[in-house]
Amino acid sequence: MLLISPSDARDAAGASESISPLQSTTPYADALRSLASHDWQRLHVPAHQGRDHNAPGVASLVGPEALALDFPMLFSGIDQHDWRLVSSGRETPLVQAQALAAEAWGASRTWFLTNGASGGNHIATTVVRALGREFVVQRSVHSSVIDGITHVDLEPHFVQGAVDAGLGSAHGVTAEQVEEALAAHPDSAAVYVVSPSYFGAVADITGISAVAHRYEVPLIVDEAWGSHFGLHPALPVNAVRAGADLVISSTHKGAGSLTQSAMLHLGHGPYARKLESLVDRVVRSFQSTSCSALLLASLDEARRHLVMDGPEMIGKALESAEAIRAAVRASPRFRDATPDILASPDAVANDPFKIVIDTRGAGITGTDAQYRLIRDHRIYCELATPAALLLLVGATAPADVERILTALHSLPQAESEPERMRALPPAGERRMGLQAAFFSAVETVPWQEAEGRISVDSLAAYPPGIPNVLPGEVLGSGSIAFLRGTAAAPSGYVRGAHDPALDYFRVVAR
């Protein structure tokens, strides 16, 4: 078996962007397959003990091979240290796999996560709390960041990102905004931003990291939607290479690992180095002691595929995405919204795998279009707003261009423009801290009585999971109407809601 140490990966990442021959290997996945190849009598967890007849229903979902590979953590020499490896100076296959991922993404160190980027955000917010209580954070962060802030009682200084009210999309923040916030709040211990946005707007991470470092604080980037960045010349540079100190990457979203698998990347330079020991301890405190071997192995395999086959496969996927975008541009009915994304003041680039189709003027709402694509064509888009459809093409998964275009052109068109939901509401007035509100005594009131009351919940029109209301914020009529409208839409869902229809809201008791 070929072996690589974390220091080898750091040296390779720091000195050269050339591909190491070791990138063709999958040390953890291969070790797992080798382990499963033996005829074990398994007297340990999980209870199915690797046999499909012990869990026939589960086997019908994932196959007997997956059950055989479903080993627990703490297997000597696989994910835990074996004395024979230690004595020879070698690392475990899991550590080797993480080192290869660090090399691939240009990080100094990478951790594999099995609770998604949401778990990564919980880790990162806990890291911030160890640095200080105050920090500068983009308001349009994912709800998992808000949950993390609430859990550890951080004091956030929010920076309002750009909003495209017409499309119903929230984007990012600029370096100038971050500098203003740090100057206004000099006790801030970190900066926390999102890039790319759910709609694909890429922020100026190089500029923002320069500002953060000038104020002597680390930059943390939620790059959940950019796990494929930096792995093809036609894609934007990834956040670690742009100067970020800690990066949360939802590898399953754009890079093809199994759902719920993710990575946490550590950057380079003095601010990142100061974080390493702390991050490692926090990762261990959050990571399950029963991590899924299948999820970990999928990260190893996804990395190998992206690095070794990426130039060809990503190229084909990009061609399919551009073909769809070009056809939309040529359509007299639909409009390619890429120019809108790039016009956002925070955007320095866009993710070409996010295709935003403007349905305004098309005689159909985006939400109705998505419903009909699902019902009539078995095509499921990533997201719909009343004004747009958002398509996500996988980085190594070329789209069936003809199928989606045929379905789009077959959508019915009303004679008159349909009514569309109002734009994203502004953030409400903040009257309490997040943790204070979250743990307050609760009163449940009808929606007609909720206006002017203080929310105890983080309420996010989901997807994309960006909270429209935070604990401690006043519920306004616009927010109430927007959230109720979202819940009433086909497949509508509001994360954090006590009542799925939002006929009732949970508020701080008087």
Side-chain angles (χ1 to χ4, degrees), residues 256-496:
S257 59
L258 289 175
T259 297
Q260 204 171 311
S261 60
M263 296 185 191
L264 188 65
H265 301 300
L266 187 70
H268 298 269
Y271 300 100
R273 283 196 295 272
K274 289 178 181 177
L275 294 177
E276 182 174 0
S277 175
L278 172 61
V279 173
D280 193 50
R281 298 197 309 274
V282 176
V283 167
R284 290 179 186 277
S285 73
F286 275 87
Q287 191 82 302
S288 172
T289 55
S290 302
C291 285
S292 167
L294 294 170
L295 295 184
L296 295 172
S298 79
L299 289 166
D300 200 16
E301 285 287 356
R303 182 269 313 156
R304 184 207 61 78
H305 183 48
L306 278 168
V307 174
M308 302 309 298
D309 305 321
E312 178 182 358
M313 293 303 300
I314 294 175
K316 290 180 179 179
L318 285 167
E319 288 175 5
S320 71
E322 180 52 33
I324 296 171
R325 196 175 280 109
V328 171
R329 286 197 298 268
S331 167
R333 183 180 177 194
F334 299 103
R335 190 178 74 86
D336 171 25
T338 301
D340 301 48
I341 306 300
L342 290 172
S344 179
D346 67 295
V348 297
N350 73 296
D351 179 1
F353 286 125
K354 290 286 184 71
I355 304 169
V356 184
I357 301 174
D358 189 345
T359 62
R360 290 172 292 183
I364 191 170
T365 64
T367 45
D368 189 34
Q370 183 187 47
Y371 170 73
R372 291 174 182 274
L373 287 172
I374 294 169
R375 186 192 67 183
D376 301 335
H377 303 278
R378 295 298 182 264
I379 294 174
Y380 206 114
C381 301
E382 174 62 32
L383 171 72
T385 73
L389 276 172
L390 175 60
L391 281 56
L392 168 64
V393 177
T396 60
D400 186 335
V401 176
E402 191 61 34
R403 181 175 178 180
I404 181 61
L405 293 179
T406 298
L408 277 175
H409 293 314
S410 71
L411 291 171
Q413 184 172 4
E415 292 184 4
S416 59
E417 179 68 359
E419 181 180 351
R420 300 178 191 272
M421 192 190 304
R422 67 181 66 190
L424 289 169
E429 176 193 352
R430 187 173 167 206
R431 290 191 187 163
M432 293 180 69
L434 275 79
Q435 190 179 76
F438 187 86
F439 292 115
S440 290
V442 176
E443 184 179 349
T444 302
V445 298
W447 70 269
Q448 298 94 331
E449 301 174 16
E451 183 178 351
R453 301 294 297 273
I454 300 172
S455 177
V456 300
D457 290 316
S458 175
L459 301 174
Y462 202 91
I466 298 169
N468 306 99
V469 174
L470 299 180
E473 288 184 348
V474 175
L475 288 161
S477 59
S479 295
I480 293 170
F482 177 81
L483 293 169
R484 281 175 49 79
T486 298
S491 303
Y493 170 62
V494 175
R495 184 184 187 274

Side-chain angles (χ1 to χ4, degrees), residues 1 9 30-31 37 105 115 129 131 182 219 267 279 293 310 366 394 401 422 427 430 456 480 504:
M1 181 183 293
D30 286 348
S37 69
W105 273 272
N115 197 26
R129 186 64 183 87
L131 303 176
L182 286 171
L219 171 63
V279 173
V401 176
R422 67 181 66 190
R430 187 173 167 206
V456 300
I480 293 170
Y504 293 88

